């Protein structure tokens, strides 16, 4: 059955999720590893609206990332066949990563709301919410993304969905996300989302529409 234009455009939901995450982080505009509780509270109390806005924008990425996980599952299932075990695992990893990211941004959103209240936010509350945001993103989100990326890479290497070099690079990213240095690898996970999202969009271009991508061999 011919794919609709809407279905093809939804392949870009992965790219949209990355854009929203980046905007959310930039709007929050506070990046420091384990800062003192008083410093976090001072920042939150002085920038409550900004932090809330960034948290809200970032949380919207969950909607698009879940949708993208469904798109990836469809592409994998067409190639994998059978029971689609790895395709299902990839989808589960993508959905779990979406939830982890959404909850983490909702945490910093709530911190901004509390900081904007008349009494502001206490140092204990500030450090708890900030650490919740940073660790949920840096650790739990990374683990779920490793599942998403790793299982997608295995199916790709078996079936040729993407070029072999990209499959092996994806494996390396997935392994990196499971190490204590996941923070340093997160950027590559976001690049992976961008590349796969755009790749799936372009590789299914209708006949007569220019595309720089060809079927991998």
């Amino acid at each position: 059955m011919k794919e609709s234009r809407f279905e093809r455009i939804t392949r870009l939901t992965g790219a949209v999720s990355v854009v929203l995450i980046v905007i959310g982080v930039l709007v929050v505009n506070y990046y420091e590893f384990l800062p003192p509780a008083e410093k976090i509270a001072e920042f939150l109390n002085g920038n409550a609206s900004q932090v809330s806005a960034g948290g809200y924008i970032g949380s919207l990425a969950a909607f698009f990332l879940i949708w993208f996980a469904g798109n990836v599952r469809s592409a994998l299932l067409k190639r994998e066949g059978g029971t689609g075990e790895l395709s299902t695992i990839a989808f589960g990893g993508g959905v779990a990563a979406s939830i982890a990211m959404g909850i983490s941004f909702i945490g910093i959103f709530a911190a901004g709301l509390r900081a904007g209240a008349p009494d502001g936010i206490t140092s204990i509350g500030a450090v708890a919410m900030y650490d919740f945001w940073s660790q949920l993103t840096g650790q739990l989100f990374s683990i779920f993304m490793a599942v998403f990326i790793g299982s997608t890479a295995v199916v790709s290497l078996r079936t040729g969905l993407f070029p072999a070099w990209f499959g092996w690079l994806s494996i390396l990213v997935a392994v990196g996300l499971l190490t204590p240095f996941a923070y340093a690898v997160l950027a590559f996970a976001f690049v992976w989302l961008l590349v796969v999202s755009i790749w799936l969009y372009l590789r299914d271009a209708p006949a007569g529409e220019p595309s720089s991508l060809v079927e991998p061999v």
Side-chain angles (χ1 to χ4, degrees), residues 13 17 20 58-68 98:
T13 49
S17 69
L20 288 171
S59 69
L60 294 177
F63 172 86
F64 293 95
L65 191 51
I66 289 175
W67 201 311
F68 179 64
S98 306

Side-chain angles (χ1 to χ4, degrees), residues 70-80 161 200 203:
N71 277 313
V72 172
R73 179 184 181 276
S74 295
L76 295 178
L77 198 55
K78 289 177 184 176
R79 295 300 187 100
E80 184 182 10
L161 177 62
L200 290 177
R203 75 187 299 275

Side-chain angles (χ1 to χ4, degrees), residues 171-192:
I171 291 290
L172 289 177
V173 171
V175 172
L177 290 170
L178 295 173
T179 69
F181 309 104
Y183 274 105
V185 186
L186 265 180
F188 295 101
F190 293 135
V191 170
W192 185 90

Side-chain angles (χ1 to χ4, degrees), residues 14-30:
V16 174
S17 69
V18 173
V19 171
L20 288 171
I21 290 170
V22 171
I23 292 176
V25 171
L26 291 176
V27 171
V28 172
N29 196 30
Y30 189 74

